[in-house]
Amino acid sequence: MPYFSVIIPVYNRPAEVDDLLRSLAEQSCQDFEVYLVEDGSTVRCEEVAKRYENRLDLHYHYKENEGRSIARNYGIERASGEYFIFFDSDCVIPKDYFKTLKAELEREPVDCFGGPDAASDDFSDVQKAINFSMTSFLTTGGIRGGKVQLEKFVPRSFNMGYSRKVWEKVGGFREMFSEDIDMSTRIRQAGFTTRLIRDAYVYHKRRVDLKKFARQTYVFGMSRITLKLLYPDSLKLVHCLPAVFVLGCIALILLAIFWRWWAILPLALYVVMLWVSALVKTKSLKIASLAVVTSFVQLGAYGFGFIKAFVWKILLGHGRDINEEIAMRKGK
């Protein structure tokens, strides 16, 4: 029986799956099986999976399209490992990931865990800029595994794992946006422990199209209000900061136009701080400049999504039946 069962939902991403499976085949510790669950893709990755059948304990399954959470649960129900590990299909796994993770779990057992994400040297400049905007303390408060954090770490499904006993007590993912945060919250409420294993990181490609990136972060902002309705104590100040950023930008721009030009200086200072921080991290003038753009896209899209959902679901009262909405999506 393998120590780990890796569960990967996929939808129309054969090229990404190829990179992910290659990185898994090159792991220094091979004490794991892989369940690749194709969720009704029209561009399937079955041929890609076949190329790795002799290099991995790989189980490929194709099912009708029901959503990534249902696909993950489908894989869990068939897996045999002591721990379930979840990766997104756009991840690449460093070669010592499982060696590091197994050593950490044997040294200090824990029920639920996760790690941060990083940018690989071979990522494009846009991917590196997006990675900065999603991991910098200046944009996210370090809540995705940073060394300095404004909120306690919550595992996310691009790099997350939990034990079989968690599955037996808590169940699987529910089909909703931010399903990983919902899952982590349910695990915590059930009395299980959670840990950040910082050395068990993954390379996360993310969206390379700024329009798609904006759409993704916009949904993140909206889903934060859904989580607040499900778990009233889950909304923290750090989650509200992108909305404050949006409203603050609008206010400063209007003040600069209709009052004094120097009212824009706080925003200009923030731009400089972003650029310098990105330059120090990436050592690239181009990436640092792109990082300012991606950071504004991220904060702006998330903030607008948050504000819209807050007004619609809380102020106007349209979020009262959130549990029914999730149940309709076939979640547990």
Side-chain angles (χ1 to χ4, degrees):
M1 179 181 297
Y3 195 69
F4 300 109
S5 291
V6 179
I7 315 296
I8 306 166
V10 59
Y11 181 76
N12 288 348
R13 296 193 177 189
E16 290 182 351
V17 168
D18 193 9
D19 290 341
L20 173 53
L21 293 182
R22 184 184 301 113
S23 71
L24 290 174
E26 295 171 353
Q27 289 295 304
S28 57
C29 170
Q30 287 286 327
D31 195 3
F32 61 88
E33 61 182 358
V34 180
Y35 277 81
L36 183 63
V37 183
E38 188 121 50
D39 187 42
S41 297
T42 57
V43 183
R44 297 172 65 164
C45 62
E46 185 173 10
E47 291 302 317
V48 173
K50 286 180 180 179
R51 297 203 293 267
Y52 292 91
E53 287 179 342
N54 295 325
R55 300 176 63 187
L56 290 167
D57 181 4
L58 177 60
H59 307 264
Y60 170 84
H61 294 272
Y62 182 90
K63 58 179 289 298
E64 65 175 305
N65 179 254
E66 295 178 286
R68 58 186 177 270
S69 292
I70 308 304
R72 289 191 190 101
N73 295 341
Y74 183 97
I76 294 171
E77 290 164 357
R78 290 157 178 77
S80 59
E82 184 176 345
Y83 285 97
F84 304 114
I85 308 293
F86 306 97
F87 297 134
D88 286 347
S89 61
D90 58 354
C91 290
V92 175
I93 316 304
K95 68 172 184 171
D96 289 330
Y97 177 93
F98 286 98
K99 178 181 178 181
T100 299
L101 181 58
K102 188 173 182 179
E104 286 293 322
L105 291 175
E106 290 177 342
R107 181 183 67 84
E108 184 181 339
V110 70
D111 301 303
C112 177
F113 50 86
D117 54 345
S120 176
D121 290 339
D122 61 356
F123 279 13
S124 71
D125 290 344
V126 173
Q127 286 174 319
K128 291 176 180 177
I130 289 176
N131 179 263
F132 170 84
S133 66
M134 290 296 288
T135 59
S136 171
F137 180 82
L138 291 174
T139 53
T140 64
I143 64 176
R144 302 174 73 91
K147 293 182 179 180
V148 180
Q149 303 175 7
L150 291 180
E151 184 203 13
K152 187 176 180 181
F153 173 74
V154 175
R156 287 168 168 80
S157 58
F158 62 79
N159 182 12
M160 176 183 184
Y162 57 75
S163 65
R164 179 170 291 277
K165 63 180 180 179
V166 168
W167 158 259
E168 292 170 350
K169 182 174 181 179
V170 181
F173 293 86
R174 297 199 288 183
E175 187 55 37
M176 57 180 289
F177 295 122
S178 292
E179 74 284 354
D180 45 4
I181 301 177
D182 171 72
M183 184 75 225
S184 294
T185 304
R186 288 159 52 211
I187 290 172
R188 175 178 56 80
Q189 290 183 342
F192 292 103
T193 55
T194 297
R195 180 184 168 203
L196 165 62
I197 303 179
R198 188 168 281 112
D199 290 335
Y201 62 90
V202 302
Y203 298 124
H204 198 180
K205 297 177 183 177
R206 303 189 184 279
R207 303 289 192 269
V208 295
D209 181 300
L210 289 183
K211 183 177 180 180
K212 292 180 180 178
F213 179 56
R215 174 60 186 170
Q216 182 185 48
T217 51
Y218 174 81
V219 169
F220 287 166
M222 295 188 69
S223 64
R224 180 53 67 179
I225 298 302
T226 299
L227 291 167
K228 186 258 187 299
L229 292 169
L230 288 169
Y231 312 104
D233 64 343
S234 67
L235 187 64
K236 309 299 183 184
L237 176 62
V238 65
H239 304 135
C240 304
L241 291 180
V244 174
F245 172 81
V246 169
L247 297 175
C249 284
I250 294 172
L252 290 174
I253 292 171
L254 291 176
L255 285 172
I257 293 173
F258 297 107
W259 184 53
R260 298 286 190 274
W261 68 267
W262 44 260
I264 203 71
L265 289 179
L267 186 58
L269 176 61
Y270 182 65
V271 169
V272 172
M273 291 171 61
L274 282 173
W275 187 83
V276 171
S277 179
L279 180 63
V280 170
K281 181 176 181 179
T282 67
K283 308 295 191 297
S284 168
L285 293 172
K286 180 181 179 182
I287 297 173
S289 300
L290 286 170
V292 174
V293 176
T294 58
S295 295
F296 270 70
V297 169
Q298 177 214 332
L299 291 168
Y302 187 108
F304 275 115
F306 183 99
I307 292 168
K308 178 181 178 180
F310 181 83
V311 171
W312 179 254
K313 293 185 176 183
I314 294 181
L315 295 185
L316 298 180
H318 294 286
R320 296 173 182 172
D321 298 325
I322 191 65
N323 281 294
E324 292 182 14
E325 176 185 331
I326 293 171
M328 289 176 63
R329 296 180 180 180
K330 302 181 181 180
K332 286 190 175 182

